[in-house]
Amino acid sequence: MNKNAVKKGLLPYLTLLLFFIGTIILMDTLNQKTNKLNYDKFMKSLNKGEVTELTIIPRSGASVYELKGKMKNYNENEIFSLKVPLSEEIMAKILDSQEIYKFKLKTINDPDSSMFKLFLFNVLPILIMAGIALYFIMKQMGGANKSMDFGRSRARLSSGNKKVTFKDVAGLTEEKEEVSELIDFLKSPAKFQKLGARIPKGVLLVGPPGTGKTLLARSVAGEANVPFYYISGSEFVELFVGVGASRVRDMFKQAKQTAPCLIFIDEIDAVGRQRGSGIGGGHDEREQTLNQLLTEMDGFGANEGIIIIAATNRPDVLDPALLRPGRFDRQVTVNLPDVKGREEILEVHAKGKTFVKGVKLSNIAKRTVGFSGADLENLLNEAALLTVRRNKEAITMAEIDEAHDRVLMGPAKKSHKYTEKEKKVVAYHEAGHAVVGIKLEGANDVQKITIVPRGAAGGYNLMLPKEETYLSTKKELLETISGLLGGRVSEELVFNEITTGAHNDFEKATKIARAMVTEYGMSELGPVQFEHQESSVFLGRDYNKSQNFSIQVANEIDEQVRKIIHEQYEVTKKILSENKDLLDLIANTLLEYETITKEQIEYLVEHGCMPDEDEEKDESDFKELSLEDLTLTELKDLAKEKNIKGYSKMNKEELIKELDK
């Protein structure tokens, strides 16, 4: 625990305690009524026997006694006080009266002669009151200083408690090689200066969210073992014009004192957007901040040993002056990981987690196309949470599979009940996608089919590319469209009716077809790009598209998009008509099992039935799960182990009832 924090926390309470002590002492003094008597009146009261208490206090340094006491008619908090000359005659009269009337008589030493009592009764109350006043004054001054402190840099210096190195960064092999030069320069700058080489002043990390840009920047600082300042771009911009520029100056001033060092600016697009554009004029505060940043990075002043690393997922909106050589000299693109990178990332995040034998991270990597590093971390975390929820001691593929579906589609709605007709329609819809994926080489490969509702979808068909490639051919795009249309065509062929279940399929298919016509030049209109994104930064990235064509060409584009969709619709209808038996087989299997995997689909296509697992499963494999969590196949296997008669013809609810007995 921070001792300074403890002291700061106790200081107000100690001050408050002293305040109460001083208040009590002061109140006692103020509440006591003191009557000033003269000598004659005191002697009259003494001779009449009206004095009940008397205290004699000799005063050092003065030839007087101070007399304090009470009379018979006084209240509890009322006393008298007077001073008399130092005389044996007066003392004799007091003693004679005390012998007659027997009142309380007490003689004490002079309190002025005791330094402690002098401090306690005279100095301490004044000090307490002065301390309280000083405390509140300093507090007000501190608040005023803070209000005037908004020009200070908000960059925070990373502590060395959680040091990140390249070992903690997986799946970014080429990216780590790009930034390794920065580490060499920070460790031994003389090696570069000897040959006249100038290290990049700034490195811009560009890529989708969650791909590890911030982690890569932290690892550079960890490998170089230098101070690492980090700040968000939004922390520069404030209400008052000039504050952001002041913070930039202060940030570089701090960095110079600890050079060589690294400065990491996250989401730099918040402050580095293009200047002088937008409706309604510019933004003076943000533009001044950007101008100051440009000056500090490559102006008249030298910032030797300071390297800036910035991250953004929107490089298209950045000001060109920020990206020129001498400022951000190098751009490092941090893309989504491929299958090898995903496996490496999974190995990093699998540390500290317990898996059963047989769980292969390589298989998980193949099924997670398009996942970022953050997505993969979330996948394994969801699997671990499910494992705890199911009271299991190790993560199995069942939890990973469920976590994968949760991340993509949301939790399964087990309580949702289909009507028999809806269930059959969904089964044939998903089977239509599967058949087209099986029969067309360029269509996406079906990894899993389920008719259990998830999220807003009534069913779920996981279709992934057969191979991860950088380019797509026209044939592959057309066959992908056919795969998306398989659900609607299947509904039309079997039920002679169509439903709303294919709306998302149409959205994806239309987007691909329009891109083929307007961007890829894959239509009868020729290799011409008709549409491209307008760089209208302040209107929003997707607000406007540049359309360099006439109304007649726009009509032709619409015709070409419709032609592509209609032609592939006919291709899909022909495939499903020719493979009606396979369509019925997969749909009926889905109605019985609800969920089937890629391996089961392949066996189904080859043998015409679901695989019969001859290997006996130990009953302990199912003890960790509740019966409701098991699939129909697992329930039948468990019923077979328990020798339940007629189990093969039972549905899921009947099997659960029999196994519960």
Side-chain angles (χ1 to χ4, degrees):
M1 184 178 290
N2 193 341
K3 293 182 178 179
N4 291 330
V6 173
K7 291 179 180 178
K8 290 181 179 178
L10 291 177
L11 184 60
Y13 296 102
L14 292 175
T15 305
L16 191 62
L17 179 62
L18 293 175
F19 173 74
F20 280 123
I21 294 174
T23 302
I24 292 171
I25 295 173
L26 187 61
M27 290 301 293
D28 284 342
T29 305
L30 294 175
N31 289 334
Q32 196 172 44
K33 184 180 178 181
T34 303
N35 298 321
K36 296 292 184 178
L37 300 182
N38 54 33
Y39 178 73
D40 293 336
K41 189 173 182 180
F42 167 71
M43 292 305 297
K44 287 180 180 179
S45 299
L46 184 67
N47 294 329
K48 292 179 179 179
E50 294 177 353
V51 177
T52 57
E53 294 181 13
L54 183 62
T55 302
I56 303 173
I57 307 170
R59 293 296 183 184
S60 60
S63 57
V64 295
Y65 287 113
E66 184 176 358
L67 303 181
K68 290 184 178 182
K70 288 187 175 184
M71 303 287 188
K72 289 182 178 180
N73 57 348
Y74 278 12
N75 296 324
E76 184 177 355
N77 294 328
E78 189 177 2
I79 62 172
F80 65 84
S81 173
L82 75 155
K83 292 181 180 180
V84 297
L86 184 60
S87 168
E88 293 183 1
E89 181 182 356
I90 295 174
M91 288 300 300
K93 291 180 179 179
I94 292 173
L95 291 175
D96 292 340
S97 180
Q98 195 272 338
E99 288 182 4
I100 299 172
Y101 299 108
K102 305 297 183 184
F103 56 83
K104 295 180 181 178
L105 179 63
K106 182 170 60 174
T107 303
I108 62 174
N109 294 328
D110 183 6
D112 294 338
S113 63
S114 172
M115 294 299 297
F116 174 74
K117 290 182 179 180
L118 177 66
F119 175 79
L120 182 64
F121 292 104
N122 298 301
V123 181
L124 182 60
I126 298 173
L127 290 178
I128 291 174
M129 300 304 292
I132 294 171
L134 184 63
Y135 170 76
F136 284 107
I137 291 172
M138 293 300 293
K139 187 175 181 181
Q140 292 295 325
M141 291 179 65
N145 289 336
K146 288 182 179 178
S147 65
M148 298 299 293
D149 196 31
F150 48 71
R152 296 291 300 277
S153 171
R154 297 295 189 268
R156 296 169 294 281
L157 183 62
S158 178
S159 62
N161 297 333
K162 295 182 179 180
K163 189 176 180 180
V164 179
T165 62
F166 279 169
K167 294 180 181 179
D168 303 306
V169 182
L172 300 176
T173 306
E174 291 78 11
E175 290 81 355
K176 287 189 285 188
E177 290 177 359
E178 282 290 314
V179 297
S180 60
E181 289 182 2
L182 305 180
I183 300 170
D184 294 337
F185 174 78
L186 291 169
K187 287 183 176 179
S188 54
K191 182 173 64 175
F192 293 84
Q193 295 168 354
K194 183 179 180 181
L195 295 176
R198 179 182 62 81
I199 202 69
K201 292 186 177 181
V203 176
L204 183 65
L205 304 179
V206 179
T211 50
K213 300 185 290 296
T214 303
L215 187 65
L216 182 62
R218 291 180 60 191
S219 67
V220 172
E223 289 287 340
N225 196 25
V226 296
F228 178 67
Y229 295 92
Y230 60 97
I231 189 172
S232 173
S234 61
E235 294 184 73
F236 288 111
V237 184
E238 283 287 354
L239 174 65
F240 304 105
V241 176
V243 173
S246 175
R247 289 179 178 177
V248 171
R249 288 191 294 270
D250 191 62
M251 179 180 69
F252 278 90
K253 181 180 177 182
Q254 291 181 24
K256 288 176 184 177
Q257 296 173 355
T258 57
C261 65
L262 280 171
I263 297 176
F264 176 63
I265 305 176
D266 199 8
E267 304 296 342
I268 194 173
D269 52 274
V271 70
R273 291 190 178 190
Q274 295 178 17
R275 295 166 292 175
S277 60
I279 297 175
H283 190 299
D284 288 341
E285 161 61 4
R286 186 187 55 75
E287 290 188 6
Q288 287 195 21
T289 305
L290 176 58
N291 291 337
Q292 186 64 44
L293 181 62
L294 296 174
T295 303
E296 292 288 346
M297 290 188 69
D298 189 22
F300 287 104
N303 292 314
E304 297 295 336
I306 301 175
I307 297 176
I308 299 178
I309 300 178
T312 181
N313 50 23
R314 297 189 61 186
D316 55 307
V317 305
L318 295 179
D319 194 279
L322 199 61
L323 304 179
R324 75 158 174 81
R327 286 170 182 149
F328 283 105
D329 306 79
R330 184 177 297 176
Q331 289 190 32
V332 178
T333 303
V334 186
N335 282 321
L336 293 171
D338 58 8
V339 62
K340 181 182 177 183
R342 291 195 297 273
E343 185 175 353
E344 294 175 357
I345 293 170
L346 287 169
E347 288 175 356
V348 171
H349 295 303
K351 294 177 182 178
K353 296 181 176 64
T354 305
F355 297 86
V356 298
K357 293 182 179 179
V359 174
K360 295 183 179 179
L361 298 179
S362 58
N363 293 338
I364 303 173
K366 293 176 182 177
R367 293 183 54 190
T368 51
V369 178
F371 275 50
S372 66
D375 294 329
L376 294 171
E377 181 187 11
N378 186 41
L379 173 68
L380 292 185
N381 185 60
E382 285 288 342
L385 293 174
L386 282 169
T387 303
V388 175
R389 193 181 305 168
R390 293 175 176 179
N391 297 320
K392 300 175 73 173
E393 296 181 355
I395 302 172
T396 67
M397 280 303 298
E399 282 72 48
I400 295 173
D401 186 64
E402 174 65 19
H404 180 269
D405 294 344
R406 278 172 172 265
V407 170
L408 288 180
M409 300 293 294
K413 297 182 179 179
K414 297 179 181 179
S415 61
H416 180 78
K417 297 297 181 183
Y418 279 126
T419 63
E420 289 300 322
K421 182 179 179 181
E422 283 180 322
K423 191 172 183 180
K424 193 173 182 180
V425 170
V426 173
Y428 271 95
H429 181 101
E430 303 301 338
H433 290 302
V435 172
V436 178
I438 292 167
K439 294 301 178 180
L440 289 181
E441 183 180 350
N444 288 339
D445 202 9
V446 179
Q447 300 288 328
K448 178 182 178 181
I449 312 174
T450 180
I451 58 174
V452 177
R454 283 186 180 273
Y460 170 45
N461 196 328
L462 178 61
M463 302 177 70
L464 300 175
K466 292 180 173 64
E467 293 182 0
E468 292 185 53
T469 59
Y470 286 98
L471 299 175
S472 296
T473 64
K474 181 179 179 180
K475 180 183 176 183
E476 289 172 347
L477 292 174
L478 291 174
E479 292 183 349
T480 300
I481 293 174
S482 294
L484 292 167
L485 298 174
R488 165 58 68 84
V489 175
S490 177
E491 295 175 12
E492 187 177 354
L493 284 175
V494 176
F495 303 101
N496 197 26
E497 185 63 86
I498 56 178
T499 68
T500 59
H503 73 281
N504 186 249
D505 299 330
F506 291 157
E507 180 183 350
K508 294 177 181 177
T510 306
K511 186 176 182 181
I512 295 173
R514 188 167 187 86
M516 290 176 65
V517 176
T518 62
E519 297 179 37
Y520 306 147
M522 294 180 177
S523 70
E524 295 177 1
L525 297 180
V528 180
Q529 188 181 53
F530 294 101
E531 293 180 349
H532 65 273
Q533 296 293 340
E534 184 75 24
S535 58
S536 182
V537 178
F538 293 94
L539 290 177
R541 185 168 47 185
D542 301 322
Y543 181 84
N544 193 18
K545 284 187 177 180
S546 175
Q547 298 180 347
N548 300 318
F549 48 82
S550 63
I551 297 176
Q552 182 181 353
V553 175
N555 183 56
E556 292 178 7
I557 290 173
D558 294 338
E559 289 293 336
Q560 289 296 316
V561 172
R562 280 196 294 268
K563 183 179 179 181
I564 291 173
I565 297 295
H566 290 160
E567 286 179 354
Q568 294 312 118
Y569 195 89
E570 294 301 321
V571 170
T572 306
K573 185 180 290 187
K574 181 180 178 182
I575 292 171
L576 292 181
S577 299
E578 293 174 352
N579 297 275
K580 183 66 166 53
D581 294 339
L582 179 59
L583 179 66
D584 293 334
L585 177 63
I586 295 177
N588 291 328
T589 305
L590 274 173
L591 289 171
E592 181 180 358
Y593 291 90
E594 293 186 340
T595 302
I596 53 177
T597 62
K598 177 184 177 182
E599 293 75 16
Q600 292 171 329
I601 294 171
E602 291 174 350
Y603 190 93
L604 196 63
V605 173
E606 186 176 352
H607 299 89
C609 62
M610 288 289 284
D612 185 15
E613 299 179 5
D614 297 329
E615 297 180 4
E616 294 185 356
K617 287 188 177 182
D618 187 4
E619 189 178 334
S620 62
D621 291 341
F622 303 101
K623 284 182 180 178
E624 297 172 332
L625 287 172
S626 64
L627 295 175
E628 288 77 12
D629 292 329
L630 300 178
T631 64
L632 184 61
T633 304
E634 292 171 336
L635 289 170
K636 287 184 176 181
D637 291 335
L638 189 56
K640 182 180 178 181
E641 291 292 323
K642 293 190 174 184
N643 297 320
I644 296 176
K645 295 180 180 180
Y647 71 89
S648 59
K649 297 181 180 180
M650 295 181 184
N651 58 30
K652 190 172 183 179
E653 289 74 18
E654 292 171 342
L655 282 169
I656 291 173
K657 288 181 181 179
E658 289 295 324
L659 291 169
D660 278 334
K661 291 181 180 179

